[in-house]
Amino acid sequence: MSVDEPQVHRRPPKSASVLQVTPSKEPALSSPTGPTRSDSRGVSALVRNSSKYAFGAIVFLSFLTRYWKIWDPAQVVFDEVHFGKFASYYLRRQYYFDVHPPLAKMMIALGGWLVGYDGHFLFEKIGMDY
């Protein structure tokens, strides 16, 4: 370099700026199940797997409690008188007037249509047999 040129400070190449990790000289802590591997957040594989199992167990129990004996009773119950009647009207394409927005009743009618319900059962009173 000549004396007249300004000195330019250059950054070192990226490979030189990467922090190199060297193994420590301390003995590794051991667990009864063997050494655990951690991800970048420090969460061990055992914790990640146990949370997946816990989530699966909760989902299984929720389905079990929701659908346990869903067929019992085999009679019309309280809300089915109202919502079943309006879903039947939709499936039969019969006019009726209701002051409430129709989205929920249309969704119930869609569910009935998907399982093959034709809309001819009259939901007239509580306790009727299907």
Side-chain angles (χ1 to χ4, degrees):
M1 267 194 207
S2 69
V3 178
D4 296 335
E5 291 180 22
Q7 290 186 354
V8 178
H9 297 285
R10 298 188 187 270
R11 288 185 182 173
K14 286 191 176 190
S15 62
S17 66
V18 174
L19 181 63
Q20 299 293 327
V21 178
T22 57
S24 67
K25 303 286 185 194
E26 298 175 19
L29 298 174
S30 62
S31 66
T33 59
T36 59
R37 303 186 95 182
S38 297
D39 63 2
S40 61
R41 296 173 304 206
V43 179
S44 70
L46 181 64
V47 171
R48 281 194 317 266
N49 288 338
S50 65
S51 64
K52 288 178 185 177
Y53 290 131
F55 177 73
I58 289 171
V59 168
F60 174 76
L61 289 173
S62 65
F63 275 99
L64 182 72
T65 57
R66 173 70 178 140
Y67 295 111
W68 183 263
K69 292 190 177 183
I70 195 166
W71 57 87
D72 189 41
Q75 292 90 21
V76 176
V77 293
F78 178 72
D79 284 346
E80 291 173 346
V81 172
H82 180 73
F83 291 106
K85 185 186 313 179
F86 288 122
S88 294
Y89 288 149
Y90 271 110
L91 290 172
R92 290 185 284 173
R93 292 172 170 63
Q94 190 174 18
Y95 176 77
Y96 71 94
F97 178 76
D98 187 19
V99 296
H100 301 289
L103 180 61
K105 295 173 191 100
M106 291 172 78
M107 290 171 60
I108 292 171
L110 174 67
W113 179 75
L114 288 174
V115 297
Y117 174 63
D118 60 0
H120 286 88
F121 180 79
L122 301 177
F123 291 87
E124 293 180 345
K125 63 180 187 174
I126 296 174
M128 288 179 58
D129 289 332
Y130 284 123

